[in-house]
Amino acid sequence: MSGTGASFVEVALPVPLRRAFNYRIPGAIPRAGTRVMVPFGNRTLVGWVLGPGKQVPGVRNVLSVIDTEPSLVGGLLELAHWIAGYYVAPLGVVLRSMLPARMADASRNLLVPLRSPGSDEALSPGEARILAAVSGRPEGRSAAGVRREVGGSAFWANVRRLVERGAVGHVTKPPKLPASRTRSVVRITRPIETLDELEQTFGRAKRQREAFERLQESGGRQPLAALLDNGFARSVIRGLVDKGVAEFEKEVVFRDPFRDQAGEGRPGPIPTPDQRRVVARLADALEGGGGTFLLHGVTGSGKTLVYVELLKRVLARGESGVVLVPEIALTPQTVSSFRGAFGNQVAVMHSGLSDGERFDAWCQIKSGDKRIAIGARSAVFAPVLRPGAIIVDEEHDGSYKQSDVPRYNARDVAVVRAARAGAVCVLGSATPSLESWTNAQAEKYGLLSLPDRVGGGVLPQVRVVDMKKKGGSGTASIVGPVAPIPSSGPVGPVGAPKPPERVLSPRLSEAIHLRLSRKEQTILLLNRRGYATFALCDDCGDVAECPRCSVSMTLHRGRRRLACHHCGHTEAPPERCARCGSRALWYGGLGTEQVERILVESLPGARIARMDMDTTRGKWSHHEILGRLRDGSVDILLGTQMIAKGLDFHRVTLVGVINADVGLHLPDFRSAERTFQLLAQVAGRAGRGRLPGEVVIQTYVPDHYVIRAAVGHDYRGFVERELEGRRDPPYPPRVRMARVLVSSPNREDALANTERLGTWFRRRPGSRPEVLGPAPAPIEKLRERFRWHLLLRGSAADVGRMLRAVASEFELKGADVRMELDRDPLQLM
């Protein structure tokens, strides 16, 4: 739609309102998906054009159009509409989550001084402070920064009066994108073809001639740094420029932190008959208009090779691919595999990169310069123009679920995006989610199987140690009296040293010693970080809780702090009980930090690495730790669940699970499924090469069906038992579910609103889902907010209809009361 006069445009804004807004814009309406800057209240926001709008009372003007072409391509705008509708989220918030952070940041409001304050000018104190704050800054200052400095509730009113007086200018600029990285390049401007001309031009300037010939051999241009590295002085290069045969120019260099990962042309393994069968089925679907497939392959069965072979066919068709991985820790390994096959066609997108690196990857994918995007959850929004395949590795993993608005599951979004694009979607896992397995059994998805390990390998033998028995290891929880924590020196339980067999059973300890003697490697899993998981008073039984959350605090010995793993609060370990004043404090529970200390003390000479959130805060921490394991400089890798997925190290022949019961008895219907997946996945890290593998699982419930299924690598047996347990009462995947959580700093407000909400649900006319609750959330207090929730259980249509109704019709009462809608929740804590 175009015209010479003003038009009206509909714009989605990243605000918590489930509606779009109308603005006036001069001339033609930009294409849908284009970013614009618009006024919204006292702010200026970045929004996205949806299409023609309406002329409504009080309509305001678009301030500027940011993009020359839409920032949302490849069907992403249509996908955003689906996400907003299905997950009941504001469309503008969904759109913001699809782009690099800087592109969707709030616009920059700058206050620019137009003149100095006059001595006789009648200014209010607030106006004078603002004018003084911006004076002497001709380039202007951020309005937000000035507001923080001068304060005052009438800030914007004062700004408007200063603007009317001509004392201050209010300028709005687009979000500041990461600056491009450039390098100096030397380019030949005048070719020299003959020897006579070379002699005439350079004479006795031998090094200049050599540099010129080097440039000719390089196609006429070369980075300045490369010439300097080859021994040519800067004065030599300057001499070429002075002679008029070359010039300097700036070249944009895209940031690629994985540039040195395996290059193109590395020979790959030859597919097995099973892999060829699977690839042939996927290739048929690619030619036939797409489809979704569940690839159920045991650990070590070569799913990655299937992905590579599929993407070769996708690129041959002129299309692009997206590969999702659940953990940042897997990204270097995955990138290495795909770079080996596709070279620089691969771009990486994940949160561990800098803003500039993520932005460069996004630009290269959008331009088509790179046609394979690899990354974690948000890479499902990679701006590939013609998606031919979307692959979700370890599709069962809970990290694909976004915890904040929009609360989407990247696995399900991948299925929808592929279907809308006519692409192939592959969901790969050795332990598929029950939802995906059920869809495959119902033939909504095609079911593909890789039943055997490649190279003739066999699944590792799994042994179970009953920790209740005397021959096991006594107790897995190290508990002891504590002295006041000193300001320096050792921190932690005092008294007699704890023998390592209290954490490592004799069987597991012997197995570790055997691997050390054979120079093989061991992985140990404990899905709890920290040193001790609670501090207990022996006199009154009080447990030190986080003041902001209703959870116990974890001791981190190295940092000499108690920490809450939910809100991040930390404090010094107490000398006395906060309730009764007693000094009889105990630290209980086992974390990876304590296990590391025990291993170091009991296995002198063993090279031990710990991998958890405390040791992987640095940008390349995962890569560095796993690199040491790969090159053989680590004997034992100890870690939390991040070491359980996808890692492929052929010298790892032993996996030990120190406490298999962590998470098994949580008040969540998925706890058994998550525990089985974790055990099966970590067991799969053993014996992936030619050497046989062994797994030792320590547990207090050796007869639990989850443990028995993990011992037998029996996924189907586990699924049958688990699905039967979700029949009555029904739980997903037998029904669909949503969670409605109400929170407030005031417990009574949270409870009252949740009770009103439950009554409102039950009085709705017509068909509706079953309403469970209200009840306090298992973690009732989180970040100083009390939390109550209800569950909706029923058909997909009924659950969706009820969520949309509550979002648009129900009104919360009280100060700072919030409501969260989570469709298809993965956890209920």
Side-chain angles (χ1 to χ4, degrees):
M1 180 178 180
S2 63
T4 56
S7 303
F8 297 90
V9 63
E10 189 176 39
V11 177
L13 296 176
V15 295
L17 298 172
R18 296 179 61 245
R19 55 171 290 235
F21 300 86
N22 289 284
Y23 289 89
R24 180 187 292 106
I25 187 169
I29 293 177
R31 292 165 56 193
T34 299
R35 292 180 303 152
V36 293
M37 288 198 305
V38 297
F40 186 78
N42 286 329
R43 296 178 290 167
T44 301
L45 299 179
V46 173
W48 293 267
V49 171
L50 302 179
K54 300 176 182 178
Q55 183 175 359
V56 295
V59 66
R60 302 169 75 180
N61 293 327
V62 170
L63 299 176
S64 66
V65 178
I66 301 173
D67 298 322
T68 56
E69 59 182 31
S71 58
L72 296 162
V73 297
L76 288 177
L77 183 57
E78 294 77 11
L79 182 67
H81 279 283
W82 179 84
I83 293 172
Y86 186 83
Y87 293 102
V88 194
L91 178 60
V93 176
V94 176
L95 294 172
R96 179 179 60 191
S97 70
M98 289 181 161
L99 295 174
R102 293 278 192 93
M103 293 187 67
D105 281 349
S107 302
R108 295 175 295 152
N109 286 300
L110 301 180
L111 300 181
V112 181
L114 300 180
R115 59 179 171 81
S116 300
S119 59
D120 59 346
E121 190 168 9
L123 297 177
S124 71
E127 293 169 358
R129 286 194 296 269
I130 293 172
L131 193 53
V134 299
S135 293
R137 299 284 293 272
E139 74 282 2
R141 286 191 60 188
S142 159
V146 174
R147 187 177 189 180
R148 284 192 298 269
E149 178 180 322
V150 305
S153 58
F155 175 80
W156 284 110
N158 290 331
V159 168
R160 281 194 295 272
R161 284 192 289 270
L162 288 171
V163 170
E164 291 169 357
R165 294 181 183 202
V168 167
H170 181 197
V171 180
T172 302
K173 291 188 177 182
K176 188 175 183 180
L177 298 179
S180 297
R181 177 175 293 177
T182 62
R183 64 179 177 182
S184 293
V185 174
V186 183
R187 184 178 69 86
I188 290 177
T189 57
R190 179 168 63 86
I192 300 177
E193 305 293 346
T194 67
L195 291 176
D196 286 343
E197 192 176 359
L198 281 172
E199 290 288 348
Q200 184 178 356
T201 302
F202 296 109
R204 300 178 63 182
K206 180 181 177 182
R207 290 296 287 166
Q208 290 184 15
R209 176 171 175 171
E210 290 174 352
F212 184 84
E213 290 173 340
R214 177 65 61 89
L215 285 172
Q216 285 186 317
E217 293 168 359
S218 303
R221 66 195 309 272
Q222 195 170 13
L224 173 62
L227 292 170
L228 297 177
D229 289 343
N230 280 303
F232 295 105
R234 193 176 293 269
S235 59
V236 171
I237 310 302
R238 172 59 62 182
L240 298 181
V241 175
D242 293 342
K243 284 183 167 64
V245 297
E247 68 177 5
F248 293 111
E249 62 182 21
K250 290 293 185 181
E251 177 182 76
V252 175
V253 180
F254 286 107
R255 287 156 283 216
D256 183 358
F258 297 92
R259 187 183 305 276
D260 296 329
Q261 290 274 359
E264 191 169 6
R266 190 180 67 185
I270 299 173
T272 65
D274 281 337
Q275 289 170 327
R276 288 197 297 269
R277 171 181 50 79
V278 168
V279 171
R281 179 97 178 269
L282 294 173
D284 288 344
L286 190 63
E287 296 294 331
T292 300
F293 294 86
L294 174 62
L295 177 56
H296 179 212
V298 299
T299 55
S301 59
K303 292 185 286 294
T304 299
L305 181 58
V306 170
Y307 304 153
V308 168
E309 292 297 319
L310 171 62
L311 289 174
K312 286 180 180 178
R313 289 156 174 78
V314 167
L315 265 59
R317 289 165 50 90
E319 298 173 337
S320 301
V322 177
V323 182
L324 304 186
V325 294
E327 290 277 0
I328 292 176
L330 295 180
T331 306
Q333 176 178 290
T334 306
V335 171
S336 179
S337 298
F338 285 89
R339 276 273 170 88
F342 303 109
N344 288 329
Q345 286 287 313
V346 177
V348 182
M349 306 174 70
H350 69 63
S351 59
L353 305 181
S354 68
D355 286 347
E357 289 165 344
R358 288 199 300 272
F359 181 68
D360 283 359
W362 184 88
C363 290
Q364 290 181 289
I365 294 168
K366 184 173 181 288
S367 68
D369 290 340
K370 298 203 173 187
R371 292 166 55 198
I372 296 175
I374 296 177
R377 180 175 57 234
S378 62
V380 74
F381 303 129
V384 292
L385 298 177
R386 296 180 58 203
I390 302 179
I391 295 163
V392 186
D393 194 29
E394 309 294 357
E395 65 85 27
H396 65 275
D397 198 275
S399 63
Y400 285 125
K401 176 73 172 179
Q402 169 79 7
S403 61
D404 202 358
V405 179
R407 294 181 173 85
Y408 66 91
N409 189 314
R411 175 199 64 205
D412 300 335
V413 172
V415 171
V416 173
R417 185 178 186 188
R420 288 169 176 258
V424 170
C425 184
V426 181
L427 311 178
S429 177
T431 56
S433 63
L434 266 65
E435 285 80 359
S436 294
W437 181 259
T438 301
N439 282 333
Q441 295 300 306
E443 299 185 354
K444 294 180 180 178
Y445 301 165
L447 180 60
L448 306 174
S449 178
L450 293 174
D452 301 311
R453 283 191 159 183
V454 296
V458 297
L459 292 170
Q461 184 178 22
V462 182
R463 306 178 187 277
V464 174
V465 176
D466 185 353
M467 301 294 280
K468 299 190 303 296
K469 295 183 178 179
K470 187 175 181 180
S473 64
T475 175
S477 184
I478 302 300
V479 180
V482 296
I485 302 300
S487 58
S488 63
V491 179
V494 297
K498 311 299 186 297
E501 58 266 26
R502 298 194 69 189
V503 174
L504 308 177
S505 62
R507 180 182 292 277
L508 181 53
S509 183
E510 291 168 6
I512 293 173
H513 279 92
L514 179 62
R515 268 64 189 188
L516 290 172
S517 68
R518 293 177 177 174
K519 300 190 182 307
E520 297 169 6
Q521 293 172 312
T522 297
I523 286 179
L524 297 177
L525 170 73
L526 176 62
N527 203 22
R528 277 184 179 159
R529 61 189 176 101
Y531 190 87
T533 57
F534 59 88
L536 172 72
C537 175
D538 198 37
D539 286 344
C540 71
D542 185 57
V543 174
E545 278 198 351
C546 172
R548 306 179 70 228
C549 310
S550 55
V551 295
S552 61
M553 302 243 283
T554 297
L555 173 66
H556 289 258
R557 186 174 183 271
R559 288 189 278 155
R560 299 180 177 86
R561 306 293 288 175
L562 289 177
C564 173
H565 290 171
H566 292 273
C567 73
H569 170 81
T570 66
E571 60 187 50
E575 298 182 8
R576 296 178 177 272
C577 172
R579 176 188 290 176
C580 70
S582 169
R583 288 184 177 271
L585 299 179
W586 295 69
Y587 287 131
L590 192 64
T592 50
E593 187 181 5
Q594 186 172 171
V595 175
E596 180 185 35
R597 181 187 181 196
I598 292 169
L599 291 172
V600 169
E601 293 174 350
S602 61
L603 299 170
R607 297 167 300 176
I608 299 164
R610 173 163 59 95
M611 190 167 170
D612 54 28
M613 287 186 66
D614 297 321
T615 63
T616 56
R617 297 183 186 277
K619 178 177 178 179
W620 296 107
S621 302
H622 301 86
H623 189 46
E624 188 273 333
I625 294 172
L626 295 178
R628 290 166 54 205
L629 186 68
R630 185 176 298 281
D631 66 23
S633 58
V634 166
D635 300 314
I636 301 171
L637 176 64
L638 164 70
T640 53
Q641 64 179 358
M642 64 175 62
I643 68 171
K645 313 161 191 174
L647 303 181
D648 186 9
F649 299 102
H650 288 190
R651 279 179 284 191
V652 173
T653 60
L654 173 66
V655 166
V657 182
I658 293 174
N659 184 356
D661 309 336
V662 173
L664 182 58
H665 306 295
L666 293 176
D668 191 318
F669 72 93
R670 297 186 193 271
S671 60
E673 180 182 5
R674 280 195 289 264
T675 300
F676 172 78
Q677 289 167 340
L678 182 62
L679 295 179
Q681 290 288 336
V682 75
R685 302 314 108 205
R688 297 176 71 93
R690 296 182 178 180
L691 299 173
E694 179 185 5
V695 180
V696 178
I697 295 178
Q698 300 182 162
T699 176
Y700 286 92
V701 286
D703 295 324
H704 196 286
Y705 70 94
V706 167
I707 305 297
R708 293 203 305 270
V711 168
H713 304 284
D714 186 8
Y715 172 78
R716 290 176 182 265
F718 166 76
V719 167
E720 291 176 4
R721 172 66 185 269
E722 185 67 10
L723 284 176
E724 183 61 32
R726 298 189 193 182
R727 183 183 300 277
D728 188 20
Y731 280 99
R734 297 193 178 279
V735 293
R736 305 300 282 273
M737 181 175 284
R739 182 194 199 199
V740 183
L741 185 143
V742 177
S743 68
S744 170
N746 183 285
R747 188 178 188 276
E748 287 68 31
D749 281 350
L751 171 59
N753 277 279
T754 313
E755 288 178 335
R756 286 179 50 242
L757 183 58
T759 301
W760 184 88
F761 275 136
R762 293 182 174 94
R763 289 178 177 174
R764 296 283 298 177
S767 62
R768 53 179 171 77
E770 180 184 8
V771 181
L772 307 179
I779 301 177
E780 183 180 1
K781 185 183 179 185
L782 189 66
R783 299 180 184 91
E784 298 184 334
R785 300 186 67 84
F786 292 92
R787 308 157 75 240
W788 282 67
H789 63 175
L790 301 104
L791 300 180
L792 306 180
R793 191 165 60 184
S795 69
D798 286 346
V799 168
R801 184 167 51 249
M802 190 67 84
L803 285 179
R804 288 189 292 273
V806 71
S808 59
E809 299 176 22
F810 187 79
E811 293 186 8
L812 297 168
K813 295 183 179 180
D816 196 14
V817 182
R818 303 173 192 169
M819 181 170 61
E820 299 175 9
L821 308 179
D822 188 4
R823 190 166 186 179
D824 303 331
L826 287 191
Q827 61 86 22
L828 303 177
M829 300 300 290

